[in-house]
Amino acid sequence: MKSNSDSRRQFIKKTSSLALAAFLPSRYASAYDKMNDPFPFGTERGKTLDACATGEWWNWKGDGQMASFMQKRPRNKVIAYAVYTHDRGVLKLTTQLFPLYPNEPDTVTLEMKVQGKWEKVAKEKIVYPGWSAHFRVENWDDTQEVAYRVRLENQAEFSGTIRPDPIHKDEIKIATMSCNSPRDETIAERNEYIRNLKFHDPDILFFAGDQSYVHEHHTYGILLFGVQFADIMKDRPVIMIPDDHDIGQGNFWGEGGGVADSTNGDNGGYYYPPSYVKMVERCQTWHLPDAYDPTPIKQGIGVYYTNLRIGGVDFAIIEDRKFKSGPKGKIPKMGPRPDHIVDPTYDRKAVDVPGLELLGARQINFLHKWGQNWEGADMKVVLSQTAFCGAVHLHGTMENRLLADLDCNGWPQTGRNNALREVRRCLATHLCGDQHLSVIVKHGIDAYRDGPFSFTNPALVNTVYGRWWWPIDEKAGGGSKIDSPLPWTGDFEDGLGNKITMYAYANPRPKDAKELKENRSERADGYGLVRFNKKSRMITLECWPRFADATKGNSEQFVGWPRKFAMAENDGRKVEGYLPTFKFMYDNPVVQVIKEATGEILYTERIQGKEFRPRVFGKGTYTVKAGHDKPENLIGEKIKVGKGVIEIKAI
C-alpha cells in the first residue's frame, strides 16, 4: 500500500499542461509577448479597457484611488489570491496577480508540501492581459489535506490549503454571495464577512456574479474583490461565475455570443470585444471543472457550464445569461426601457414569443442529463446568476414600481418553465444572486408550489441599486398560510404571470440610493449560508446581515430566516397515487419513473435504503428504471398504481 507521501509524489509527477484555448486571444500570449501593447483589446470599443493594468500601467493617471491601489502594491505582495476546485481526480487552480513591471518574473510556480518539505508541482506563464496563471493537476488524491503555495520566483508568494473532499460529513455547507459594490466605506476590506465566514467554516464558497462593478477595468475590480476575500478563499473550493457588471454591462442578454449595440445590452449580445470577455471568464472561471460541452459560441467566446461534486452534493453551474434573447426589437416596448414593463394591462403571454431563448438548448440538455447522473451524489443543487422569477416590486427607489423586469429569468416564461422542470426532475434546490434583495421562493410551474425552492442571496454591498418586495395592496398572498413573522408571504403572480410562493424577504429600510449609502447597517446587505444534510435530506437556508455577529446564533439573522425544508419538497406536484413497492438487494440505488403515455421522465432520485414506493401524479402506466448511480436498468414496464411488492434481485 502506498503511503500518503507516495501518493502526493505521484500527483506531482503527473501534472498536465494547462488548457486555455477557450479563454485566450487568438495567439497564446505570456505576460510579456504583448506587454508594450497599450490596447490589447483593440482600438475601437476596447481602447479604454483595463487601461490601469495594461501597457505602461505604472504611468496611468486615471482615477486616483484605482491608480494608488494598482501602482502602490508592495512588490512582495503582488500575488493577490488563489482559487481552486477538485473533482474526478483533477485539481484546477488559478492565481491572480497585480500588474508586473517588465523586469519582474513572468512565470508562477506551484508547490505542495510533502513530508514537511515544499516540492515543485508545475511552473506556468502568466497570461496577459489579465495577469493570471493557471494550473491543472491530474490524478489528484482528494482524500488528503495538502498545503500549497504559488511563487513568483523569490519575489512574492501566496499560500493556502487544498481541503480533502468532505464525503464523510453528514452536512455540507455552502456560503452564497454576490453583488460586491465598491461604493463602500471600506473599499479594500470585508473584515466583517471574513470573521463570520470563518466562524461558519463553509465547505465551499459560491460567488454568483458582480464580483466587479468597474465595467472598463476588470483587472482592478477582480483584484479588489480578491484582496477582500483572499483570506477565506485560499483554504476551500470556490465557485465563481461572472455576471453583467463583470463583463462591463449594466444588463446582459448574451444571444449566444452576438454583438450588443450599447452597454445596456438590451438588443442582446456582448458590447465589449470578445478578447475582453474571454479574459474575464478566464480569470473567474478557469479553475472550475472542465465545461460539459466546451464548444465556443459566436465570436469564439467560451462556455463554462459544468458540475462540481463536494462531499456528496452535486452542484450544477449554469450560465443563465449567455444564450438568453435580448428584449429590444423582439417585444413591444411597454415602459421607459425595453426591459422594464410598467403597463398593467399588457398581455403576459404576448411577451413569451416563440423562439426566444433562456438557457438555450445546450444547457437544457446538460441539466437533463446531469439530473439523471447521481454518481458521487446524494443531493443536487443548481447554481446560477439570477432568479427564475421577478420577486421584486420596487427598483432603485421606493417610488419606482415596475410590473416586470426582463433581466430576471422569469422571462421568457416558456424558457423559465422548461428550466424549472429539469431542476424539479432531480429534486434540486436553486441558489442565485443578482437581485440585491434576498428572498426564498417556491416556484410554481403549472400550479402554485409544484416546483422547486429557490434562495436568492442578498448583495454583499447594497449601495448601487436597492430593491424591495412590496405588494401594491400590502396584503399577504393566497394559498395555505406561511408560518412566518413577515406579513407579505404566500402565493403571488410576478409581473410576468409566473406563479411564485413567497416564504421570506429581506427589504432594506432606506428608501433610495442616497439613504442606502448613508445608512450602512440598514441596507439589507449580507450573505447566505445553506446547509445540506445528506442523512436527513433536509435543507436549511440562512440569511445573515453584513454586520451580524454569527457567534450569537440565529437571532442575528434577517427576520424570516432560517427556514428548513425537505429535499422531497423540491417536487411539489400533487401525488395521485403510488406504484407497488420495489425491494432492492443493496442500499440507496438511483430510481427513475417515466410516464409511458408521454415518455416524460417524472423524476430521478437516489433513494435511501433498499425499499421505495414510487409516487405518481396521475392515472396511467409507468416505466421504472434503476441503477447504482444512473437509471441504466429497466426494472418494470406498464406498471399501474397499486399495492404489492416487486423484488429486484440484481441490476
Side-chain angles (χ1 to χ4, degrees):
M1 181 177 293
K2 293 181 178 179
S3 68
N4 290 345
S5 59
D6 288 338
S7 298
R8 294 179 193 178
R9 287 196 176 94
Q10 184 179 30
F11 72 64
I12 287 173
K13 291 178 181 178
K14 294 188 177 181
T15 303
S16 67
S17 61
L18 75 164
L20 285 170
F23 301 101
L24 285 172
S26 57
R27 183 178 69 85
Y28 180 88
S30 72
Y32 306 109
D33 288 336
K34 294 187 177 181
M35 180 66 191
N36 294 323
D37 182 359
F39 309 121
F41 310 107
T43 56
E44 295 180 9
R45 292 184 178 183
K47 186 173 183 178
T48 62
L49 297 177
D50 236 24
C52 65
T54 56
E56 294 184 358
W57 56 269
W58 54 89
N59 289 325
W60 186 69
K61 304 296 184 183
D63 178 88
Q65 191 279 326
M66 290 173 58
S68 177
F69 180 80
M70 300 294 277
Q71 297 170 14
K72 295 183 180 180
R73 182 73 171 180
R75 305 320 292 169
N76 64 345
K77 294 183 179 180
V78 291
I79 302 179
Y81 67 89
V83 288
Y84 70 85
T85 63
H86 57 81
D87 194 7
R88 303 172 186 86
V90 177
L91 167 71
K92 295 178 71 176
L93 182 147
T94 288
T95 185
Q96 181 68 50
L97 292 86
F98 279 75
L100 299 174
Y101 291 106
N103 63 345
E104 292 182 305
D106 68 347
T107 58
V108 175
T109 301
L110 172 64
E111 298 177 343
M112 305 280 185
K113 186 170 281 188
V114 179
Q115 292 185 327
K117 295 182 179 180
W118 290 107
E119 293 195 11
K120 177 182 173 181
V121 175
K123 178 181 283 190
E124 296 292 352
K125 288 278 191 180
I126 299 163
V127 183
Y128 172 89
W131 304 100
S132 59
H134 308 274
F135 299 88
R136 179 188 183 95
V137 182
E138 303 279 356
N139 300 304
W140 181 257
D141 178 3
D142 67 4
T143 67
Q144 304 296 319
E145 179 176 290
V146 181
Y148 74 89
R149 68 182 182 185
V150 282
R151 295 177 52 244
L152 186 69
E153 293 189 2
N154 295 320
Q155 177 177 322
E157 70 175 58
F158 183 90
S159 61
T161 303
I162 309 293
R163 290 189 175 192
D165 184 54
I167 191 65
H168 299 297
K169 294 175 63 174
D170 287 339
E171 182 180 85
I172 302 300
K173 295 178 287 186
I174 181 171
T176 171
M177 297 162 277
S178 64
C179 305
N180 185 41
S181 169
R183 301 177 192 174
D184 187 51
E185 293 82 354
T186 53
I187 294 176
E189 296 177 358
R190 296 288 183 264
N191 292 337
E192 62 283 350
Y193 285 119
I194 302 303
R195 181 183 65 248
N196 279 343
L197 289 170
K198 284 187 174 182
F199 172 77
H200 291 306
D201 192 24
D203 299 286
I204 185 170
L205 305 176
F206 172 44
F207 293 98
D210 294 343
Q211 284 69 250
S212 168
Y213 278 85
V214 193
H215 287 193
E216 296 185 348
H217 299 278
H218 178 264
T219 298
Y220 163 77
I222 203 65
L223 283 167
L224 187 64
F225 157 82
V227 167
Q228 294 163 350
F229 289 96
D231 199 39
I232 195 70
M233 296 192 296
K234 65 187 179 67
D235 295 325
R236 69 205 72 224
V238 174
I239 295 172
M240 189 190 308
I241 55 178
D243 203 1
D244 42 18
H245 294 285
D246 295 290
I247 62 162
Q249 298 183 199
N251 285 301
F252 173 50
W253 298 263
E255 289 267 0
V259 179
D261 58 15
S262 74
T263 55
N264 295 329
D266 46 26
N267 74 306
Y270 297 80
Y271 179 76
Y272 288 122
S275 54
Y276 187 69
V277 176
K278 292 165 78 171
M279 179 194 74
V280 172
E281 293 190 349
R282 183 188 78 237
C283 291
Q284 294 204 28
T285 71
W286 188 94
H287 69 286
L288 298 178
D290 295 345
Y292 174 77
D293 171 10
T295 306
I297 58 173
K298 297 174 187 175
Q299 301 193 74
I301 295 169
V303 300
Y304 55 83
Y305 62 90
T306 186
N307 72 301
L308 172 66
R309 300 167 305 176
I310 299 287
V313 179
D314 191 1
F315 298 90
I317 304 162
I318 60 174
E319 308 180 60
D320 54 21
R321 315 283 200 184
K322 185 161 279 182
F323 297 91
K324 185 176 179 179
S325 302
K328 185 178 179 181
K330 300 180 182 69
I331 62 171
K333 186 177 178 182
M334 290 171 283
R337 300 175 5 185
D339 56 318
H340 284 178
I341 297 176
V342 297
D343 180 3
T345 66
Y346 94 99
D347 181 359
R348 273 65 167 167
K349 295 181 180 180
V351 300
D352 192 19
V353 178
L356 294 177
E357 295 283 1
L358 181 57
L359 298 186
R362 289 172 59 181
Q363 290 194 104
I364 289 293
N365 177 62
F366 161 64
L367 287 176
H368 189 72
K369 293 183 177 179
W370 168 80
Q372 300 176 67
N373 183 352
W374 286 75
E375 184 179 358
D378 295 304
M379 305 177 79
K380 284 183 175 281
V381 187
V382 174
L383 307 177
S384 76
Q385 283 88 352
T386 196
F388 286 101
C389 63
V392 178
H393 296 108
L394 308 178
H395 297 246
T397 72
M398 295 189 72
E399 287 71 45
N400 184 31
R401 181 176 291 272
L402 298 180
L403 187 61
D405 181 0
L406 304 185
D407 175 62
C408 76
N409 284 343
W411 178 82
Q413 298 95 314
T414 294
R416 175 254 190 191
N417 291 336
N418 289 341
L420 288 175
R421 288 188 179 98
E422 297 300 342
V423 178
R424 180 177 67 184
R425 270 191 244 278
C426 58
L427 306 179
T429 304
H430 177 233
L431 307 179
C432 66
D434 175 60
Q435 291 292 296
H436 294 231
L437 172 66
S438 191
V439 300
I440 299 173
V441 161
K442 191 171 190 354
H443 291 288
I445 302 173
D446 300 303
Y448 283 108
R449 312 191 192 199
D450 70 352
F453 276 94
S454 180
F455 177 27
T456 304
N457 62 49
L460 282 165
V461 181
N462 197 22
T463 56
V464 173
Y465 197 76
R467 284 184 167 124
W468 294 260
W469 171 259
W470 207 289
I472 195 166
D473 61 2
E474 298 188 353
K475 293 181 179 180
S480 59
K481 181 176 173 58
I482 304 299
D483 181 16
S484 172
L486 295 165
W488 303 324
T489 58
D491 296 343
F492 295 86
E493 277 193 359
D494 72 5
L496 292 155
N498 298 308
K499 295 176 174 63
I500 60 173
T501 302
M502 180 61 68
Y503 277 75
Y505 53 89
N507 283 336
R509 293 188 182 181
K511 64 182 181 180
D512 57 31
K514 182 176 183 293
E515 289 194 9
L516 282 173
K517 188 172 182 180
E518 293 175 351
N519 291 269
R520 197 178 189 209
S521 63
E522 304 291 342
R523 298 170 183 158
D525 40 19
Y527 63 99
L529 187 79
V530 186
R531 303 172 187 267
F532 295 92
N533 191 298
K534 296 179 293 180
K535 190 173 182 179
S536 67
R537 299 282 177 92
M538 295 297 294
I539 297 138
T540 304
L541 306 177
E542 301 179 5
C543 195
W544 296 88
R546 178 179 179 182
F547 298 104
D549 182 350
T551 65
K552 293 182 178 179
N554 288 338
S555 63
E556 291 282 292
Q557 294 192 51
F558 284 107
V559 174
W561 277 267
R563 291 206 70 95
K564 286 187 178 183
F565 64 95
M567 183 180 87
E569 294 181 67
N570 279 320
D571 186 344
R573 289 172 287 184
K574 184 180 179 181
V575 176
E576 299 288 350
Y578 292 88
L579 304 182
T581 298
F582 287 81
K583 287 189 174 182
F584 298 90
M585 299 295 290
Y586 58 87
D587 287 327
N588 309 334
V590 172
V591 177
Q592 182 180 86
V593 178
I594 302 170
K595 186 176 182 178
E596 291 182 344
T598 62
E600 178 190 4
I601 296 173
L602 296 182
Y603 54 85
T604 307
E605 63 179 278
R606 187 181 293 282
I607 70 166
Q608 290 182 295
K610 296 179 180 179
E611 295 188 10
F612 183 64
R613 193 174 185 197
R615 64 199 177 279
V616 293
F617 313 109
K619 297 179 180 179
T621 60
Y622 298 87
T623 293
V624 181
K625 295 181 177 182
H628 288 272
D629 293 314
K630 301 176 184 178
E632 298 174 315
N633 304 284
L634 178 67
I635 61 172
E637 289 183 289
K638 302 188 184 306
I639 301 175
K640 297 182 179 180
V641 170
K643 299 181 180 179
V645 175
I646 300 175
E647 293 193 7
I648 309 301
K649 297 188 180 298
I651 55 175

